[in-house]
Amino acid sequence: AQKITQTQPGMFVQEKEAVTLDCTYDTSDQSYGLFWYKQPSSGEMIFLIYQGSYDEQNATEGRYSLNFQKARKSANLVISASQLGDSAMYFCAMREGGGYQKVTFGIGTKLQVIP
Amino acid sequence: GAVVSQHPSRVICKSGTSVKIECRSLDFQATTMFWYRQFPKKSLMLMATSNEGSKATYEQGVEKDKFLINHASLTLSTLTVTSAHPEDSSFYICSARDPQNVRPYEQYFGPGTRLTVT
């Protein structure tokens, strides 16, 4: 079974609008963490936000927030007030177990912000 | 934030030759570095975990004799693609963890290396 599922291959959003990128995950571990990374066309991976499985509140980092629904095993990324520079690939990822080592990535969602 | 560099950013080599890719942590000491491979329009696939001073841990299906990883110092890990073939053409990305980071889960990624084997 896929550990990380991103079902939206591509998304469009109007500039200044909010957009939600979906991510569901599968793990039997009690301790895990979920990440979102941004990959512009230049290729580098940019860390956006992290949510630990024991964190009671949803993570927020500036315009990024993570809608963590543990029972549904979903960790959607919400980007508020979209900007043209937000156009990129977005990857959801997960680490499992007590360590911080291995991270498994989803296949990504391509977001395009329309002026 | 912490910076990870990769060199070269792009490399073209002939089939049958070997190519070395360097990954450096510029302002922190990385006891652990990771090597990923990304196919066009695909996700990142972890190839191996590189620990300073010890042998790398390879993921299932990754040929350790083909993808040689050396982590000789706390700031440098190298990936050597030996006897490269066109199917090895890909985008290779390294990442590193800073054990001093207050967010120990955070990995810092390098800019990637585009390998083309002709």
Side-chain angles (χ1 to χ4, degrees), chain A residues 35 37 39 43-45 47 50 61 91 100-103 105-107, chain B residues 32 34 36 38 42-44 46 59 91 93 97 103-107 109:
Chain A
F35 305 78
Y37 286 89
Q39 186 179 41
E44 76 273 24
M45 297 290 286
F47 167 80
Y50 173 81
E61 293 275 356
F91 291 95
Y100 296 103
Q101 304 284 14
K102 181 175 177 178
V103 174
F105 285 80
I107 62 172
Chain B
T32 305
F34 305 90
Y36 294 87
Q38 186 178 29
K42 297 289 185 182
S43 184
L44 276 72
L46 179 65
E59 294 299 304
F91 192 57
I93 308 176
R97 285 203 311 116
R103 302 193 297 195
Y105 49 78
E106 189 167 352
Q107 291 186 24
F109 283 83

PDB file of all heavy atoms in Angstrom, chain A residues 35 37 39 43-45 47 50 61 91 100-103 105-107, chain B residues 32 34 36 38 42-44 46 59 91 93 97 103-107 109:
ATOM      1  N   PHE A  35       5.391  15.996   6.651  1.00  0.00           N
ATOM      2  CA  PHE A  35       6.060  17.172   6.109  1.00  0.00           C
ATOM      3  C   PHE A  35       5.377  17.605   4.812  1.00  0.00           C
ATOM      4  O   PHE A  35       4.777  16.791   4.117  1.00  0.00           O
ATOM      5  CB  PHE A  35       7.510  16.854   5.709  1.00  0.00           C
ATOM      6  CG  PHE A  35       8.382  16.253   6.760  1.00  0.00           C
ATOM      7  CD1 PHE A  35       8.299  14.916   7.094  1.00  0.00           C
ATOM      8  CD2 PHE A  35       9.336  17.035   7.388  1.00  0.00           C
ATOM      9  CE1 PHE A  35       9.137  14.358   8.046  1.00  0.00           C
ATOM     10  CE2 PHE A  35      10.185  16.483   8.337  1.00  0.00           C
ATOM     11  CZ  PHE A  35      10.082  15.154   8.659  1.00  0.00           C
ATOM     12  N   TYR A  37       6.899  19.755   1.432  1.00  0.00           N
ATOM     13  CA  TYR A  37       8.027  20.406   0.777  1.00  0.00           C
ATOM     14  C   TYR A  37       7.550  21.026  -0.530  1.00  0.00           C
ATOM     15  O   TYR A  37       6.644  20.509  -1.191  1.00  0.00           O
ATOM     16  CB  TYR A  37       9.142  19.399   0.454  1.00  0.00           C
ATOM     17  CG  TYR A  37       9.939  18.946   1.647  1.00  0.00           C
ATOM     18  CD1 TYR A  37       9.535  17.844   2.403  1.00  0.00           C
ATOM     19  CD2 TYR A  37      11.103  19.611   2.023  1.00  0.00           C
ATOM     20  CE1 TYR A  37      10.278  17.408   3.484  1.00  0.00           C
ATOM     21  CE2 TYR A  37      11.845  19.187   3.110  1.00  0.00           C
ATOM     22  CZ  TYR A  37      11.425  18.085   3.829  1.00  0.00           C
ATOM     23  OH  TYR A  37      12.165  17.667   4.914  1.00  0.00           O
ATOM     24  N   GLN A  39       8.937  22.253  -4.321  1.00  0.00           N
ATOM     25  CA  GLN A  39      10.034  22.108  -5.275  1.00  0.00           C
ATOM     26  C   GLN A  39       9.764  22.992  -6.496  1.00  0.00           C
ATOM     27  O   GLN A  39       8.982  22.645  -7.371  1.00  0.00           O
ATOM     28  CB  GLN A  39      10.214  20.648  -5.712  1.00  0.00           C
ATOM     29  CG  GLN A  39      11.450  20.446  -6.584  1.00  0.00           C
ATOM     30  CD  GLN A  39      11.646  18.998  -7.007  1.00  0.00           C
ATOM     31  OE1 GLN A  39      10.691  18.301  -7.342  1.00  0.00           O
ATOM     32  NE2 GLN A  39      12.898  18.533  -7.002  1.00  0.00           N
ATOM     33  N   GLY A  43      14.505  22.984  -8.904  1.00  0.00           N
ATOM     34  CA  GLY A  43      14.829  21.655  -8.413  1.00  0.00           C
ATOM     35  C   GLY A  43      15.052  21.496  -6.924  1.00  0.00           C
ATOM     36  O   GLY A  43      14.918  20.395  -6.403  1.00  0.00           O
ATOM     37  N   GLU A  44      15.415  22.570  -6.227  1.00  0.00           N
ATOM     38  CA  GLU A  44      15.703  22.374  -4.812  1.00  0.00           C
ATOM     39  C   GLU A  44      14.428  22.115  -4.021  1.00  0.00           C
ATOM     40  O   GLU A  44      13.370  22.596  -4.362  1.00  0.00           O
ATOM     41  CB  GLU A  44      16.457  23.579  -4.220  1.00  0.00           C
ATOM     42  CG  GLU A  44      15.606  24.806  -3.947  1.00  0.00           C
ATOM     43  CD  GLU A  44      15.474  25.723  -5.134  1.00  0.00           C
ATOM     44  OE1 GLU A  44      15.629  25.250  -6.284  1.00  0.00           O
ATOM     45  OE2 GLU A  44      15.195  26.915  -4.917  1.00  0.00           O
ATOM     46  N   MET A  45      14.547  21.332  -2.979  1.00  0.00           N
ATOM     47  CA  MET A  45      13.431  21.017  -2.099  1.00  0.00           C
ATOM     48  C   MET A  45      13.430  21.998  -0.930  1.00  0.00           C
ATOM     49  O   MET A  45      14.427  22.126  -0.222  1.00  0.00           O
ATOM     50  CB  MET A  45      13.564  19.595  -1.551  1.00  0.00           C
ATOM     51  CG  MET A  45      13.522  18.523  -2.613  1.00  0.00           C
ATOM     52  SD  MET A  45      11.893  18.362  -3.345  1.00  0.00           S
ATOM     53  CE  MET A  45      11.020  17.533  -2.025  1.00  0.00           C
ATOM     54  N   PHE A  47      11.698  23.091   2.593  1.00  0.00           N
ATOM     55  CA  PHE A  47      10.847  22.666   3.699  1.00  0.00           C
ATOM     56  C   PHE A  47       9.808  23.737   3.979  1.00  0.00           C
ATOM     57  O   PHE A  47      10.116  24.926   4.080  1.00  0.00           O
ATOM     58  CB  PHE A  47      11.718  22.428   4.934  1.00  0.00           C
ATOM     59  CG  PHE A  47      10.948  22.280   6.211  1.00  0.00           C
ATOM     60  CD1 PHE A  47      10.343  21.083   6.527  1.00  0.00           C
ATOM     61  CD2 PHE A  47      10.830  23.331   7.100  1.00  0.00           C
ATOM     62  CE1 PHE A  47       9.637  20.924   7.710  1.00  0.00           C
ATOM     63  CE2 PHE A  47      10.130  23.195   8.282  1.00  0.00           C
ATOM     64  CZ  PHE A  47       9.533  21.985   8.585  1.00  0.00           C
ATOM     65  N   TYR A  50       5.851  21.131   9.243  1.00  0.00           N
ATOM     66  CA  TYR A  50       5.942  19.795   9.845  1.00  0.00           C
ATOM     67  C   TYR A  50       4.859  19.630  10.908  1.00  0.00           C
ATOM     68  O   TYR A  50       4.547  20.570  11.660  1.00  0.00           O
ATOM     69  CB  TYR A  50       7.310  19.611  10.492  1.00  0.00           C
ATOM     70  CG  TYR A  50       7.448  18.335  11.291  1.00  0.00           C
ATOM     71  CD1 TYR A  50       7.726  17.138  10.658  1.00  0.00           C
ATOM     72  CD2 TYR A  50       7.286  18.338  12.678  1.00  0.00           C
ATOM     73  CE1 TYR A  50       7.849  15.968  11.373  1.00  0.00           C
ATOM     74  CE2 TYR A  50       7.406  17.175  13.411  1.00  0.00           C
ATOM     75  CZ  TYR A  50       7.688  15.987  12.757  1.00  0.00           C
ATOM     76  OH  TYR A  50       7.818  14.825  13.472  1.00  0.00           O
ATOM     77  N   GLU A  61       2.900  27.859   9.584  1.00  0.00           N
ATOM     78  CA  GLU A  61       4.159  28.559   9.280  1.00  0.00           C
ATOM     79  C   GLU A  61       3.824  29.654   8.269  1.00  0.00           C
ATOM     80  O   GLU A  61       3.761  29.413   7.074  1.00  0.00           O
ATOM     81  CB  GLU A  61       5.186  27.604   8.667  1.00  0.00           C
ATOM     82  CG  GLU A  61       5.709  26.526   9.569  1.00  0.00           C
ATOM     83  CD  GLU A  61       6.876  26.977  10.435  1.00  0.00           C
ATOM     84  OE1 GLU A  61       7.347  28.133  10.278  1.00  0.00           O
ATOM     85  OE2 GLU A  61       7.319  26.175  11.274  1.00  0.00           O
ATOM     86  N   PHE A  91       5.246  18.412  -2.351  1.00  0.00           N
ATOM     87  CA  PHE A  91       5.342  17.020  -1.929  1.00  0.00           C
ATOM     88  C   PHE A  91       4.967  16.881  -0.458  1.00  0.00           C
ATOM     89  O   PHE A  91       5.465  17.611   0.398  1.00  0.00           O
ATOM     90  CB  PHE A  91       6.763  16.484  -2.131  1.00  0.00           C
ATOM     91  CG  PHE A  91       7.154  16.335  -3.572  1.00  0.00           C
ATOM     92  CD1 PHE A  91       7.850  17.346  -4.220  1.00  0.00           C
ATOM     93  CD2 PHE A  91       6.833  15.199  -4.278  1.00  0.00           C
ATOM     94  CE1 PHE A  91       8.213  17.223  -5.549  1.00  0.00           C
ATOM     95  CE2 PHE A  91       7.195  15.055  -5.617  1.00  0.00           C
ATOM     96  CZ  PHE A  91       7.885  16.069  -6.242  1.00  0.00           C
ATOM     97  N   TYR A 100      14.276  10.020  13.298  1.00  0.00           N
ATOM     98  CA  TYR A 100      14.029  11.092  12.341  1.00  0.00           C
ATOM     99  C   TYR A 100      14.723  10.809  11.031  1.00  0.00           C
ATOM    100  O   TYR A 100      15.044  11.712  10.274  1.00  0.00           O
ATOM    101  CB  TYR A 100      14.536  12.417  12.924  1.00  0.00           C
ATOM    102  CG  TYR A 100      13.794  12.834  14.161  1.00  0.00           C
ATOM    103  CD1 TYR A 100      14.339  12.674  15.421  1.00  0.00           C
ATOM    104  CD2 TYR A 100      12.524  13.373  14.059  1.00  0.00           C
ATOM    105  CE1 TYR A 100      13.638  13.061  16.555  1.00  0.00           C
ATOM    106  CE2 TYR A 100      11.824  13.757  15.179  1.00  0.00           C
ATOM    107  CZ  TYR A 100      12.390  13.595  16.429  1.00  0.00           C
ATOM    108  OH  TYR A 100      11.700  13.980  17.537  1.00  0.00           O
ATOM    109  N   GLN A 101      14.942   9.556  10.759  1.00  0.00           N
ATOM    110  CA  GLN A 101      15.759   9.216   9.621  1.00  0.00           C
ATOM    111  C   GLN A 101      14.987   9.168   8.316  1.00  0.00           C
ATOM    112  O   GLN A 101      14.878  10.148   7.590  1.00  0.00           O
ATOM    113  CB  GLN A 101      16.448   7.873   9.884  1.00  0.00           C
ATOM    114  CG  GLN A 101      17.270   7.863  11.156  1.00  0.00           C
ATOM    115  CD  GLN A 101      18.596   8.600  11.004  1.00  0.00           C
ATOM    116  OE1 GLN A 101      18.830   9.328  10.059  1.00  0.00           O
ATOM    117  NE2 GLN A 101      19.474   8.412  11.965  1.00  0.00           N
ATOM    118  N   LYS A 102      14.412   8.016   8.031  1.00  0.00           N
ATOM    119  CA  LYS A 102      13.858   7.812   6.698  1.00  0.00           C
ATOM    120  C   LYS A 102      12.568   8.581   6.504  1.00  0.00           C
ATOM    121  O   LYS A 102      11.684   8.590   7.354  1.00  0.00           O
ATOM    122  CB  LYS A 102      13.611   6.322   6.479  1.00  0.00           C
ATOM    123  CG  LYS A 102      13.064   5.976   5.114  1.00  0.00           C
ATOM    124  CD  LYS A 102      12.970   4.477   4.962  1.00  0.00           C
ATOM    125  CE  LYS A 102      12.346   4.120   3.615  1.00  0.00           C
ATOM    126  NZ  LYS A 102      12.302   2.661   3.429  1.00  0.00           N
ATOM    127  N   VAL A 103      12.491   9.239   5.360  1.00  0.00           N
ATOM    128  CA  VAL A 103      11.296   9.991   4.992  1.00  0.00           C
ATOM    129  C   VAL A 103      10.788   9.464   3.664  1.00  0.00           C
ATOM    130  O   VAL A 103      11.560   9.304   2.725  1.00  0.00           O
ATOM    131  CB  VAL A 103      11.608  11.498   4.899  1.00  0.00           C
ATOM    132  CG1 VAL A 103      10.409  12.268   4.373  1.00  0.00           C
ATOM    133  CG2 VAL A 103      12.027  12.036   6.256  1.00  0.00           C
ATOM    134  N   PHE A 105       8.228  10.017   0.439  1.00  0.00           N
ATOM    135  CA  PHE A 105       7.559  11.111  -0.251  1.00  0.00           C
ATOM    136  C   PHE A 105       6.380  10.621  -1.083  1.00  0.00           C
ATOM    137  O   PHE A 105       6.385   9.501  -1.608  1.00  0.00           O
ATOM    138  CB  PHE A 105       8.546  11.821  -1.186  1.00  0.00           C
ATOM    139  CG  PHE A 105       9.534  12.694  -0.479  1.00  0.00           C
ATOM    140  CD1 PHE A 105      10.647  12.154   0.125  1.00  0.00           C
ATOM    141  CD2 PHE A 105       9.333  14.061  -0.403  1.00  0.00           C
ATOM    142  CE1 PHE A 105      11.563  12.954   0.797  1.00  0.00           C
ATOM    143  CE2 PHE A 105      10.244  14.872   0.253  1.00  0.00           C
ATOM    144  CZ  PHE A 105      11.360  14.319   0.861  1.00  0.00           C
ATOM    145  N   GLY A 106       5.379  11.472  -1.223  1.00  0.00           N
ATOM    146  CA  GLY A 106       4.304  11.244  -2.172  1.00  0.00           C
ATOM    147  C   GLY A 106       4.749  11.652  -3.560  1.00  0.00           C
ATOM    148  O   GLY A 106       5.877  12.112  -3.763  1.00  0.00           O
ATOM    149  N   ILE A 107       3.845  11.505  -4.544  1.00  0.00           N
ATOM    150  CA  ILE A 107       4.221  11.770  -5.934  1.00  0.00           C
ATOM    151  C   ILE A 107       4.100  13.243  -6.298  1.00  0.00           C
ATOM    152  O   ILE A 107       4.517  13.641  -7.383  1.00  0.00           O
ATOM    153  CB  ILE A 107       3.387  10.927  -6.917  1.00  0.00           C
ATOM    154  CG1 ILE A 107       1.901  11.281  -6.803  1.00  0.00           C
ATOM    155  CG2 ILE A 107       3.630   9.448  -6.682  1.00  0.00           C
ATOM    156  CD1 ILE A 107       1.067  10.625  -7.879  1.00  0.00           C
TER     157      ILE A 107
ATOM    158  N   THR B  32      24.499  12.543   9.476  1.00  0.00           N
ATOM    159  CA  THR B  32      23.696  11.712   8.572  1.00  0.00           C
ATOM    160  C   THR B  32      23.318  12.511   7.342  1.00  0.00           C
ATOM    161  O   THR B  32      22.839  13.633   7.447  1.00  0.00           O
ATOM    162  CB  THR B  32      22.407  11.227   9.255  1.00  0.00           C
ATOM    163  OG1 THR B  32      22.742  10.549  10.467  1.00  0.00           O
ATOM    164  CG2 THR B  32      21.635  10.283   8.348  1.00  0.00           C
ATOM    165  N   PHE B  34      21.475  11.931   3.304  1.00  0.00           N
ATOM    166  CA  PHE B  34      20.600  11.041   2.547  1.00  0.00           C
ATOM    167  C   PHE B  34      20.772  11.318   1.057  1.00  0.00           C
ATOM    168  O   PHE B  34      20.930  12.463   0.649  1.00  0.00           O
ATOM    169  CB  PHE B  34      19.129  11.270   2.934  1.00  0.00           C
ATOM    170  CG  PHE B  34      18.867  11.148   4.407  1.00  0.00           C
ATOM    171  CD1 PHE B  34      18.957  12.254   5.238  1.00  0.00           C
ATOM    172  CD2 PHE B  34      18.526   9.932   4.962  1.00  0.00           C
ATOM    173  CE1 PHE B  34      18.716  12.146   6.598  1.00  0.00           C
ATOM    174  CE2 PHE B  34      18.286   9.817   6.320  1.00  0.00           C
ATOM    175  CZ  PHE B  34      18.388  10.924   7.137  1.00  0.00           C
ATOM    176  N   TYR B  36      18.833  10.822  -2.602  1.00  0.00           N
ATOM    177  CA  TYR B  36      17.569  10.538  -3.264  1.00  0.00           C
ATOM    178  C   TYR B  36      17.774  10.578  -4.778  1.00  0.00           C
ATOM    179  O   TYR B  36      18.662  11.261  -5.290  1.00  0.00           O
ATOM    180  CB  TYR B  36      16.506  11.589  -2.903  1.00  0.00           C
ATOM    181  CG  TYR B  36      16.079  11.599  -1.465  1.00  0.00           C
ATOM    182  CD1 TYR B  36      16.782  12.334  -0.515  1.00  0.00           C
ATOM    183  CD2 TYR B  36      14.944  10.915  -1.051  1.00  0.00           C
ATOM    184  CE1 TYR B  36      16.377  12.368   0.802  1.00  0.00           C
ATOM    185  CE2 TYR B  36      14.526  10.949   0.271  1.00  0.00           C
ATOM    186  CZ  TYR B  36      15.250  11.680   1.193  1.00  0.00           C
ATOM    187  OH  TYR B  36      14.844  11.719   2.495  1.00  0.00           O
ATOM    188  N   GLN B  38      15.328  11.225  -8.272  1.00  0.00           N
ATOM    189  CA  GLN B  38      14.025  11.686  -8.725  1.00  0.00           C
ATOM    190  C   GLN B  38      13.939  11.560 -10.239  1.00  0.00           C
ATOM    191  O   GLN B  38      14.708  12.185 -10.963  1.00  0.00           O
ATOM    192  CB  GLN B  38      13.772  13.138  -8.300  1.00  0.00           C
ATOM    193  CG  GLN B  38      12.370  13.620  -8.621  1.00  0.00           C
ATOM    194  CD  GLN B  38      12.120  15.042  -8.149  1.00  0.00           C
ATOM    195  OE1 GLN B  38      13.036  15.849  -8.073  1.00  0.00           O
ATOM    196  NE2 GLN B  38      10.874  15.363  -7.833  1.00  0.00           N
ATOM    197  N   LYS B  42       8.272  12.709 -11.136  1.00  0.00           N
ATOM    198  CA  LYS B  42       8.031  11.652 -10.159  1.00  0.00           C
ATOM    199  C   LYS B  42       8.482  12.101  -8.774  1.00  0.00           C
ATOM    200  O   LYS B  42       9.056  13.162  -8.604  1.00  0.00           O
ATOM    201  CB  LYS B  42       8.807  10.382 -10.569  1.00  0.00           C
ATOM    202  CG  LYS B  42       8.378   9.777 -11.872  1.00  0.00           C
ATOM    203  CD  LYS B  42       7.019   9.128 -11.771  1.00  0.00           C
ATOM    204  CE  LYS B  42       6.679   8.429 -13.075  1.00  0.00           C
ATOM    205  NZ  LYS B  42       5.320   7.830 -13.026  1.00  0.00           N
ATOM    206  N   SER B  43       8.219  11.236  -7.828  1.00  0.00           N
ATOM    207  CA  SER B  43       8.582  11.556  -6.456  1.00  0.00           C
ATOM    208  C   SER B  43      10.061  11.291  -6.206  1.00  0.00           C
ATOM    209  O   SER B  43      10.760  10.727  -7.047  1.00  0.00           O
ATOM    210  CB  SER B  43       7.739  10.712  -5.518  1.00  0.00           C
ATOM    211  OG  SER B  43       8.000  11.052  -4.179  1.00  0.00           O
ATOM    212  N   LEU B  44      10.499  11.682  -5.025  1.00  0.00           N
ATOM    213  CA  LEU B  44      11.858  11.375  -4.609  1.00  0.00           C
ATOM    214  C   LEU B  44      11.893   9.966  -4.046  1.00  0.00           C
ATOM    215  O   LEU B  44      11.053   9.583  -3.230  1.00  0.00           O
ATOM    216  CB  LEU B  44      12.328  12.339  -3.513  1.00  0.00           C
ATOM    217  CG  LEU B  44      12.882  13.678  -3.952  1.00  0.00           C
ATOM    218  CD1 LEU B  44      11.777  14.565  -4.466  1.00  0.00           C
ATOM    219  CD2 LEU B  44      13.616  14.353  -2.812  1.00  0.00           C
ATOM    220  N   LEU B  46      14.244   7.440  -1.905  1.00  0.00           N
ATOM    221  CA  LEU B  46      15.442   7.345  -1.078  1.00  0.00           C
ATOM    222  C   LEU B  46      16.299   6.191  -1.569  1.00  0.00           C
ATOM    223  O   LEU B  46      15.827   5.065  -1.711  1.00  0.00           O
ATOM    224  CB  LEU B  46      15.059   7.128   0.384  1.00  0.00           C
ATOM    225  CG  LEU B  46      16.224   6.989   1.363  1.00  0.00           C
ATOM    226  CD1 LEU B  46      17.018   8.295   1.453  1.00  0.00           C
ATOM    227  CD2 LEU B  46      15.718   6.585   2.747  1.00  0.00           C
ATOM    228  N   GLU B  59      18.679   1.293   0.437  1.00  0.00           N
ATOM    229  CA  GLU B  59      17.291   0.858   0.373  1.00  0.00           C
ATOM    230  C   GLU B  59      17.185  -0.369  -0.535  1.00  0.00           C
ATOM    231  O   GLU B  59      18.049  -0.622  -1.398  1.00  0.00           O
ATOM    232  CB  GLU B  59      16.407   1.980  -0.162  1.00  0.00           C
ATOM    233  CG  GLU B  59      16.325   3.166   0.782  1.00  0.00           C
ATOM    234  CD  GLU B  59      15.740   2.808   2.131  1.00  0.00           C
ATOM    235  OE1 GLU B  59      14.614   2.278   2.171  1.00  0.00           O
ATOM    236  OE2 GLU B  59      16.417   3.064   3.151  1.00  0.00           O
ATOM    237  N   PHE B  91      17.761  12.888 -11.717  1.00  0.00           N
ATOM    238  CA  PHE B  91      18.062  14.014 -10.841  1.00  0.00           C
ATOM    239  C   PHE B  91      18.391  13.433  -9.476  1.00  0.00           C
ATOM    240  O   PHE B  91      17.563  12.741  -8.873  1.00  0.00           O
ATOM    241  CB  PHE B  91      16.842  14.945 -10.786  1.00  0.00           C
ATOM    242  CG  PHE B  91      17.092  16.286 -10.157  1.00  0.00           C
ATOM    243  CD1 PHE B  91      18.073  17.129 -10.649  1.00  0.00           C
ATOM    244  CD2 PHE B  91      16.330  16.711  -9.088  1.00  0.00           C
ATOM    245  CE1 PHE B  91      18.300  18.376 -10.085  1.00  0.00           C
ATOM    246  CE2 PHE B  91      16.547  17.961  -8.508  1.00  0.00           C
ATOM    247  CZ  PHE B  91      17.529  18.790  -9.007  1.00  0.00           C
ATOM    248  N   ILE B  93      19.443  14.044  -5.581  1.00  0.00           N
ATOM    249  CA  ILE B  93      19.370  15.079  -4.539  1.00  0.00           C
ATOM    250  C   ILE B  93      19.883  14.511  -3.222  1.00  0.00           C
ATOM    251  O   ILE B  93      19.522  13.390  -2.849  1.00  0.00           O
ATOM    252  CB  ILE B  93      17.923  15.572  -4.323  1.00  0.00           C
ATOM    253  CG1 ILE B  93      17.275  15.985  -5.641  1.00  0.00           C
ATOM    254  CG2 ILE B  93      17.884  16.725  -3.339  1.00  0.00           C
ATOM    255  CD1 ILE B  93      15.817  16.398  -5.488  1.00  0.00           C
ATOM    256  N   ARG B  97      20.837  16.171   7.893  1.00  0.00           N
ATOM    257  CA  ARG B  97      20.236  16.605   9.158  1.00  0.00           C
ATOM    258  C   ARG B  97      21.296  17.267  10.017  1.00  0.00           C
ATOM    259  O   ARG B  97      22.438  16.818  10.065  1.00  0.00           O
ATOM    260  CB  ARG B  97      19.662  15.419   9.925  1.00  0.00           C
ATOM    261  CG  ARG B  97      18.377  14.880   9.389  1.00  0.00           C
ATOM    262  CD  ARG B  97      17.591  14.132  10.459  1.00  0.00           C
ATOM    263  NE  ARG B  97      18.415  13.172  11.166  1.00  0.00           N
ATOM    264  CZ  ARG B  97      18.711  13.241  12.462  1.00  0.00           C
ATOM    265  NH1 ARG B  97      18.260  14.232  13.187  1.00  0.00           N
ATOM    266  NH2 ARG B  97      19.453  12.316  13.028  1.00  0.00           N
ATOM    267  N   ARG B 103      14.803  21.526  15.630  1.00  0.00           N
ATOM    268  CA  ARG B 103      13.815  20.728  14.906  1.00  0.00           C
ATOM    269  C   ARG B 103      14.560  19.554  14.291  1.00  0.00           C
ATOM    270  O   ARG B 103      14.942  19.590  13.116  1.00  0.00           O
ATOM    271  CB  ARG B 103      13.104  21.564  13.848  1.00  0.00           C
ATOM    272  CG  ARG B 103      12.409  22.792  14.417  1.00  0.00           C
ATOM    273  CD  ARG B 103      11.450  23.438  13.451  1.00  0.00           C
ATOM    274  NE  ARG B 103      12.096  23.956  12.267  1.00  0.00           N
ATOM    275  CZ  ARG B 103      11.515  24.816  11.424  1.00  0.00           C
ATOM    276  NH1 ARG B 103      10.279  25.230  11.662  1.00  0.00           N
ATOM    277  NH2 ARG B 103      12.150  25.236  10.359  1.00  0.00           N
ATOM    278  N   PRO B 104      14.777  18.498  15.046  1.00  0.00           N
ATOM    279  CA  PRO B 104      15.625  17.392  14.584  1.00  0.00           C
ATOM    280  C   PRO B 104      15.073  16.648  13.385  1.00  0.00           C
ATOM    281  O   PRO B 104      15.784  15.922  12.718  1.00  0.00           O
ATOM    282  CB  PRO B 104      15.723  16.483  15.813  1.00  0.00           C
ATOM    283  CG  PRO B 104      14.510  16.800  16.616  1.00  0.00           C
ATOM    284  CD  PRO B 104      14.236  18.260  16.386  1.00  0.00           C
ATOM    285  N   TYR B 105      13.785  16.822  13.107  1.00  0.00           N
ATOM    286  CA  TYR B 105      13.181  16.119  11.984  1.00  0.00           C
ATOM    287  C   TYR B 105      13.492  16.800  10.654  1.00  0.00           C
ATOM    288  O   TYR B 105      13.262  16.247   9.598  1.00  0.00           O
ATOM    289  CB  TYR B 105      11.658  16.095  12.172  1.00  0.00           C
ATOM    290  CG  TYR B 105      11.086  17.455  12.513  1.00  0.00           C
ATOM    291  CD1 TYR B 105      10.899  18.422  11.544  1.00  0.00           C
ATOM    292  CD2 TYR B 105      10.754  17.767  13.826  1.00  0.00           C
ATOM    293  CE1 TYR B 105      10.394  19.668  11.862  1.00  0.00           C
ATOM    294  CE2 TYR B 105      10.250  19.010  14.157  1.00  0.00           C
ATOM    295  CZ  TYR B 105      10.074  19.961  13.169  1.00  0.00           C
ATOM    296  OH  TYR B 105       9.583  21.191  13.494  1.00  0.00           O
ATOM    297  N   GLU B 106      13.991  18.023  10.701  1.00  0.00           N
ATOM    298  CA  GLU B 106      14.160  18.796   9.472  1.00  0.00           C
ATOM    299  C   GLU B 106      15.374  18.323   8.692  1.00  0.00           C
ATOM    300  O   GLU B 106      16.458  18.158   9.232  1.00  0.00           O
ATOM    301  CB  GLU B 106      14.313  20.282   9.805  1.00  0.00           C
ATOM    302  CG  GLU B 106      14.275  21.191   8.579  1.00  0.00           C
ATOM    303  CD  GLU B 106      14.124  22.646   8.951  1.00  0.00           C
ATOM    304  OE1 GLU B 106      13.890  22.942  10.136  1.00  0.00           O
ATOM    305  OE2 GLU B 106      14.233  23.494   8.036  1.00  0.00           O
ATOM    306  N   GLN B 107      15.171  18.097   7.415  1.00  0.00           N
ATOM    307  CA  GLN B 107      16.265  17.764   6.512  1.00  0.00           C
ATOM    308  C   GLN B 107      16.506  18.950   5.593  1.00  0.00           C
ATOM    309  O   GLN B 107      15.567  19.548   5.080  1.00  0.00           O
ATOM    310  CB  GLN B 107      15.937  16.531   5.657  1.00  0.00           C
ATOM    311  CG  GLN B 107      15.869  15.236   6.418  1.00  0.00           C
ATOM    312  CD  GLN B 107      15.695  14.031   5.503  1.00  0.00           C
ATOM    313  OE1 GLN B 107      16.042  14.054   4.332  1.00  0.00           O
ATOM    314  NE2 GLN B 107      15.170  12.948   6.060  1.00  0.00           N
ATOM    315  N   PHE B 109      17.944  20.153   2.102  1.00  0.00           N
ATOM    316  CA  PHE B 109      18.211  19.552   0.803  1.00  0.00           C
ATOM    317  C   PHE B 109      19.210  20.365  -0.002  1.00  0.00           C
ATOM    318  O   PHE B 109      19.219  21.600   0.042  1.00  0.00           O
ATOM    319  CB  PHE B 109      16.908  19.417   0.003  1.00  0.00           C
ATOM    320  CG  PHE B 109      16.054  18.276   0.453  1.00  0.00           C
ATOM    321  CD1 PHE B 109      15.202  18.410   1.531  1.00  0.00           C
ATOM    322  CD2 PHE B 109      16.116  17.050  -0.205  1.00  0.00           C
ATOM    323  CE1 PHE B 109      14.419  17.342   1.957  1.00  0.00           C
ATOM    324  CE2 PHE B 109      15.336  15.982   0.211  1.00  0.00           C
ATOM    325  CZ  PHE B 109      14.482  16.131   1.292  1.00  0.00           C
TER     326      PHE B 109
END
